[in-house]
Amino acid sequence: MRGRLRVYLGAAPGVGKTYAMLSEGRRARERGRDVVVGFVETHGRPRTAALLEGVEVIPRRTLVYRGATFTELDVEAVIERAPKVALIDELAHTNVPGSKNAKRWQDIDDILDAGIDVISTVNIQHLESVNDVVQEITGIPQRETVPDEVVRRATQIELVDMSPEALRRRMAHGNVYAPEKVDAALSNYFRVGNLTALRELALLWVAGKVDDQLDRYRADHDIAGTWEARERVVVALTGGPEGDTLVRRAARIAARTKGADLLAVHITSSDGLAGADPANLARQRSLVESLGGTYHQVVGDDVPRALLDFARGVNATQLVLGASRRGRFAQILSRGVGVETTALSGPIDVHLVTHEEATKGRRRPERSRAALNRKRRLAGWAVAVAGMPLLTAALLPFRDVISLPSEILLFLCLVVGVALIGGTWPAFTAAVGGSLLLNRFFTPPIGQFTIADPENFLALIVFVLVAAAVSTIVDLAARRTREAARARADAEALSTLAGHVLRGEAALPSLLGRLRETFGLDSVTLLERLGEPTPDDQAEPDAWRIIATSGAAPCTSPAVADNDVQINDQLVLAARGRLLDASDRRVLEAFAAEAAVALRQERLQQEAEQAKALAEADRMRTALLAAVSHDLRTPLSAAKAAVESLRSHDIAWSPEDRDELLATADESLDRLDRLVANLLDMSRLQAGVLGLTLQPVALEEVVPRSIDDLGPLRDRVEGDISVDLPEIVADPILLERVLVNLMTNAARYSPADRKVLITASWHDDQVEIRVIDRGPGIPREIHDRIFLPFQRLGDRDNGTGVGLGLALSRGLTEAMGGTLVPEETPGGGLTMIVSMPISSGR
């Protein structure tokens, strides 16, 4: 039997997941269960380490990778030991290359398959579904992730919760990180806003898991009734104009309870020919989503039962419907959807909301006056008028041979043919005319409009009724066929539109262009009113602004359009080319509603981009102030102290001391000069005003100059540049600056006995320059972080600058049309690769 998984989920590191896991393990051990520790990281926290005392710990497996030694969970040892419970920390951990599985959750799967229960831990930022959201909140990408399904399969998930203030206090007391890391952590990842957002994510994720468990339990136990564990308000939409009122009322009901869900549902008939207005539904769907709800559409011919089935399926507690728009006489004949739904609702509360449309009666969708085209109707009339006399003339010679029933059947065949050709009225006319001709020429007494035999009278009456029924059915079938074709065409148009936009094309131009092509219009234009509405501004071009247009000769005001749709007080969709009929106009209104949504999304995206730029600028200003107040002050203070010491007359400095003080001042001022230059260049990059002079550049000239610019560090760098390399396109001054920054950074982290190597090679249309060091290297998952401005990984050395060197190097490289990426050096270390395009003059 497969073991059971229990997961402790936390919002952030330090909330106590490992502590809770070990505490549960000790409790299980005290209850007599066989518990072992498979893998636990205490991170040097004494209270957590104390819980390991007395518990059997499975020795870790040792692996060597690129000259470094690592320890990992020994899966085989745990399975061979076969305990009842194994405690394994960090579910999302990535194993060292060479391990059996790439991820620790896969190791845990193997242990579970062996019938061993596992207790593990994971942070919310490691769940795949919220990984991008966490990166937006914290600004730090999480490379180690675990699929949500792995955690959802756990038998039990327990949230380890802690308020942001309490977690920050734990960190300040040194209970989470080492003292030298506390300040950086509190000012970056562990800000109150970050922790609050992560806590909310964790709570919502666990709440979703609880909902799934509740739904599964109700399904397993065939529980169809509603359990009011959480308020869910369902509003029923018919596609009528009252829908806006119902949605807003349902939103107010949902807002009374914190965390309530709002769902809108539209019931459509199975034949797809319901009279719902697509423009109203599109607008109401947008309104529901803007209020934080969701929109659903289900098929059902019995509207009350379909509506209640949906409500019970989502465990709804309240149902909002509009008061009936039917007339009083219709309500006498049938109770209506509202009354029927209320009678069958059971524990679900039903709200019948009055609205302005309730007293106006139900307006049925417009129908075309004729289901068949004019040509077919004329042909039907011609067959009816000419066919009946001709059939009579053809049957007269055989009047004594053919019986009256046979003659009636022949006339009936002709009436059916007329119905198939021309529809209801030509067939009905043929039926009446045929009955008169049968009476006159074939029913005794012959030559009179009287009938002697009652059976013949009955036969003629049945003939007329059957002919009228057949013609009506044929006409109805033609109408249904035409409506189905129209509905299919509308659906195809809207489906094509949706696919057109989802394929990534600009929303508004794509939508207007598709609308123009669908209806064969000359132009389609979205207009926006510039000021407040006035009675005579419909024909005033100066009162309108063109937002987007497709086609020639755009409309400058609604008055010059052949078709216009008023979306709201400010927006109008104007179309020119031909007048559209009522059914086409309904689709036009749906397009207009979608155009308004597309416009709103575009503007929200623009606002988001502006806000992002402002936030980035604010972050840069904040970081710059921090750099000026901290990092720049260090060399400035050193230079000032050296100069003040030299100016002092209280101490007689020896020549050696004076030289040392002068060297200190000189070195500090040089460092200060470099830092200021980096800050200025970074500000120019951010503002987009950095001057470039791109020209063909020979690497064998630039690289030696760059090495010379390193000063005392030049002896720690070795260049290996071939003279056969092609020239590249670059700004020689900026390229030299990039290489100096990269070599300085590499020399700083390389061992004293290992030189930094700079090489270059030619691949296709690019030259790759490699700056190779043999230092400790950087984990792959944080490669991108080293290029963030004002970042120094680990914050170990506050005297090495403001963390701009690599950020500036990448910015300068990309400004010249190249790329800068890190790569692990085989055998240990880091290689920075600068790729630049070759000169076309090669």
Side-chain angles (χ1 to χ4, degrees):
M1 185 178 68
R2 181 177 168 87
R4 294 175 298 177
L5 175 63
R6 180 172 182 174
V7 176
Y8 285 94
L9 174 69
V15 295
K17 303 179 303 300
T18 304
Y19 190 91
M21 178 186 71
L22 291 173
S23 298
E24 177 59 29
R26 294 184 71 90
R27 284 192 293 270
R29 188 166 174 269
E30 291 169 0
R31 292 194 295 268
R33 302 198 71 189
D34 185 11
V35 179
V36 302
V37 172
F39 191 100
V40 165
E41 285 287 359
T42 63
H43 299 287
R45 299 164 191 167
R47 295 184 61 189
T48 303
L51 292 176
L52 289 172
E53 296 178 3
V55 182
E56 180 183 352
V57 179
I58 302 295
R60 301 183 184 184
R61 189 162 58 96
T62 302
L63 295 94
V64 177
Y65 177 68
R66 292 186 174 179
T69 302
F70 301 90
T71 59
E72 291 287 2
L73 168 67
D74 194 334
V75 180
E76 290 75 12
V78 173
I79 295 176
E80 184 179 354
R81 170 63 175 75
K84 291 295 183 182
V85 180
L87 310 180
I88 302 175
D89 211 358
E90 298 181 358
L91 182 66
H93 172 75
T94 301
N95 292 331
V96 174
S99 303
K100 176 186 176 183
N101 297 310
K103 294 285 189 177
R104 182 163 294 164
W105 65 263
Q106 296 170 324
D107 293 340
I108 290 176
D109 259 354
D110 292 343
I111 295 173
L112 292 171
D113 288 338
I116 301 171
D117 293 347
V118 175
I119 304 177
S120 188
T121 64
V122 70
N123 281 327
I124 189 67
Q125 68 262 30
H126 296 300
L127 296 182
E128 186 65 49
S129 64
V130 299
N131 183 258
D132 56 338
V133 180
V134 173
Q135 182 174 347
E136 290 179 6
I137 294 171
T138 64
I140 300 175
Q142 295 291 337
R143 302 299 182 188
E144 292 188 330
T145 60
V146 57
D148 287 48
E149 185 56 32
V150 172
V151 184
R152 289 187 183 278
R153 286 200 304 263
T155 307
Q156 185 175 348
I157 299 176
E158 185 169 336
L159 179 66
V160 181
D161 189 30
M162 180 177 289
S163 69
E165 294 77 9
L167 179 55
R168 286 171 60 86
R169 283 196 300 271
R170 285 198 67 203
M171 294 195 64
H173 294 157
N175 295 331
V176 179
Y177 288 154
E180 64 270 15
K181 296 183 179 180
V182 170
D183 289 341
L186 289 175
S187 60
N188 289 285
Y189 191 89
F190 289 84
R191 295 194 297 269
V192 173
N194 288 359
L195 296 177
T196 302
L198 293 174
R199 187 186 187 196
E200 183 178 12
L201 275 179
L203 290 169
L204 290 174
W205 195 92
V206 173
K209 168 68 175 176
V210 173
D211 276 347
D212 293 342
Q213 290 177 332
L214 179 60
D215 291 342
R216 201 158 47 241
Y217 179 85
R218 295 175 71 238
D220 292 343
H221 293 79
D222 296 324
I223 300 174
T226 299
W227 285 8
E228 298 185 17
R230 182 176 182 177
E231 286 287 351
R232 285 186 174 87
V233 182
V234 173
V235 53
L237 301 178
T238 64
E242 76 283 356
D244 295 28
T245 302
L246 301 182
V247 169
R248 291 188 175 92
R249 179 59 184 275
R252 289 196 296 272
I253 294 174
R256 294 171 186 166
T257 304
K258 189 172 182 60
D261 294 333
L262 173 65
L263 303 92
V265 61
H266 171 64
I267 310 297
T268 183
S269 60
S270 57
D271 59 12
L273 301 176
D277 190 328
N280 286 340
L281 285 177
R283 186 182 66 255
Q284 290 157 14
R285 175 174 187 167
S286 175
L287 177 60
V288 168
E289 292 173 348
S290 69
L291 293 171
T294 57
Y295 176 85
H296 308 267
Q297 186 164 313
V298 297
V299 177
D301 292 320
D302 188 339
V303 175
R305 294 189 181 278
L307 183 58
L308 288 171
D309 287 343
F310 173 82
R312 294 188 181 108
V314 299
N315 202 23
T317 56
Q318 302 191 60
L319 188 57
V320 178
L321 295 87
S324 177
R325 288 188 284 138
R326 301 182 310 148
R328 293 183 179 179
F329 182 72
Q331 294 183 30
I332 294 174
L333 298 177
S334 173
R335 292 196 299 178
V337 172
V339 177
E340 187 72 19
T341 303
T342 304
L344 301 174
S345 63
I348 301 176
D349 296 337
V350 179
H351 303 263
L352 286 177
V353 180
T354 58
H355 49 85
E356 294 181 355
E357 304 294 327
T359 58
K360 298 181 181 180
R362 181 180 294 275
R363 294 190 293 272
R364 297 190 177 276
E366 297 183 14
R367 298 175 56 177
S368 57
R369 295 185 177 181
L372 304 174
N373 58 43
R374 186 170 180 271
K375 184 177 180 180
R376 286 187 61 178
R377 295 200 306 274
L378 291 176
W381 281 111
V383 173
V385 173
M388 287 299 172
L390 289 175
L391 180 60
T392 301
L395 292 177
L396 281 176
F398 307 100
R399 185 168 51 190
D400 298 331
V401 179
I402 302 176
S403 63
L404 180 62
S406 299
E407 293 164 342
I408 290 176
L409 289 175
L410 291 173
F411 271 84
L412 182 60
C413 287
L414 182 58
V415 172
V416 171
V418 172
L420 291 172
I421 297 172
T424 301
W425 291 109
F428 187 75
T429 302
V432 174
S435 66
L436 295 176
L437 291 173
L438 284 169
N439 186 5
R440 176 78 176 178
F441 295 103
F442 300 101
T443 304
I446 303 298
Q448 300 180 21
F449 288 106
T450 58
I451 301 174
D453 190 344
E455 290 187 5
N456 293 337
F457 176 76
L458 179 61
L460 291 177
I461 293 298
V462 171
F463 164 75
V464 173
L465 294 176
V466 170
V470 169
S471 61
T472 302
I473 291 173
V474 170
D475 182 73
L476 180 61
R479 290 182 185 275
R480 287 295 189 186
T481 301
R482 186 174 182 180
E483 290 174 359
R486 168 66 65 181
R488 179 178 179 181
D490 293 347
E492 288 179 353
L494 294 173
S495 176
T496 303
L497 166 68
H500 206 57
V501 175
L502 290 175
R503 281 192 295 270
E505 302 181 26
L508 267 178
S510 170
L511 187 147
L512 299 182
R514 179 58 59 183
L515 175 59
R516 182 177 60 83
E517 294 170 4
T518 300
F519 293 109
L521 301 170
D522 294 338
S523 68
V524 178
T525 307
L526 182 64
L527 299 172
E528 184 177 35
R529 183 181 273 110
L530 295 176
E532 294 297 324
T534 59
D536 56 349
D537 66 357
Q538 295 293 308
E540 183 57 49
D542 294 338
W544 300 89
R545 177 167 64 97
I546 296 177
I547 299 297
T549 186
S550 175
C555 299
T556 56
S557 67
V560 300
D562 296 316
N563 308 274
D564 65 276
V565 177
Q566 184 83 24
I567 302 174
N568 53 40
D569 290 341
Q570 299 299 121
L571 294 176
V572 171
L573 185 70
R576 174 182 285 169
R578 66 182 179 89
L579 288 173
L580 301 179
D581 59 29
S583 58
D584 287 338
R585 185 175 176 84
R586 291 172 59 194
V587 179
L588 180 68
E589 291 174 349
F591 271 82
E594 292 296 330
V597 173
L599 176 62
R600 185 181 66 183
Q601 290 176 341
E602 283 188 6
R603 290 180 171 174
L604 287 175
Q605 184 175 4
Q606 292 172 0
E607 292 176 2
E609 290 296 328
Q610 293 174 358
K612 183 178 179 181
L614 292 174
E616 179 64 20
D618 183 66
R619 191 187 72 82
M620 290 291 294
R621 282 195 299 270
T622 303
L624 179 58
L625 290 173
V628 170
S629 64
H630 185 273
D631 294 292
L632 295 184
R633 191 165 53 188
T634 302
L636 187 61
S637 299
K640 181 177 176 60
V643 172
E644 287 181 349
S645 297
L646 289 171
R647 293 186 60 191
S648 174
H649 300 291
D650 298 333
I651 302 176
W653 301 105
S654 66
E656 293 79 9
D657 291 337
R658 293 180 66 85
D659 290 342
E660 184 177 351
L661 289 172
L662 287 172
T664 301
D666 183 62
E667 182 182 347
S668 299
L669 291 174
D670 284 344
R671 207 166 95 203
L672 183 62
D673 180 66
R674 287 195 301 271
L675 293 177
V676 172
N678 281 343
L679 287 170
L680 291 175
D681 284 344
M682 180 57 69
S683 65
R684 293 191 187 102
L685 273 176
Q686 295 290 332
V689 295
L690 184 69
L692 292 175
T693 305
L694 298 179
Q695 61 189 51
V697 174
L699 282 181
E700 63 268 23
E701 298 176 2
V702 173
V703 172
R705 289 202 306 266
S706 302
I707 296 176
D708 288 340
D709 288 344
L710 292 175
L713 293 176
R714 69 170 66 90
D715 295 334
R716 298 190 57 192
V717 177
E718 179 181 348
D720 183 13
I721 305 298
S722 172
V723 295
D724 297 329
L725 290 173
E727 292 182 333
I728 62 174
V729 178
D731 184 313
I733 304 301
L734 295 184
L735 180 60
E736 184 177 332
R737 182 75 172 280
V738 169
L739 295 178
V740 168
N741 279 345
L742 295 180
M743 289 186 290
T744 302
N745 189 74
R748 181 181 302 149
Y749 292 102
S750 288
D753 58 342
R754 302 293 297 272
K755 286 191 175 184
V756 174
L757 179 64
I758 178 168
T759 66
S761 57
W762 178 16
H763 303 281
D764 296 330
D765 59 347
Q766 288 189 327
V767 170
E768 290 186 353
I769 309 166
R770 294 174 177 263
V771 179
I772 306 168
D773 70 58
R774 297 292 180 176
I778 297 174
R780 183 182 300 274
E781 59 268 19
I782 59 174
H783 275 181
D784 289 340
R785 284 178 53 195
I786 64 178
F787 295 106
L788 295 177
F790 308 104
Q791 295 290 323
R792 289 190 306 276
L793 298 182
D795 286 332
R796 292 169 302 204
D797 180 9
N798 290 332
T800 56
V802 293
L804 279 177
L806 293 181
L808 181 61
S809 297
R810 171 172 275 189
L812 294 177
T813 303
E814 292 178 349
M816 293 185 290
T819 60
L820 173 59
V821 295
E823 184 181 86
E824 294 180 359
T825 303
L830 186 69
T831 298
M832 304 299 293
I833 305 173
V834 179
S835 300
M836 299 298 298
I838 66 172
S839 173
S840 58
R842 167 72 180 180

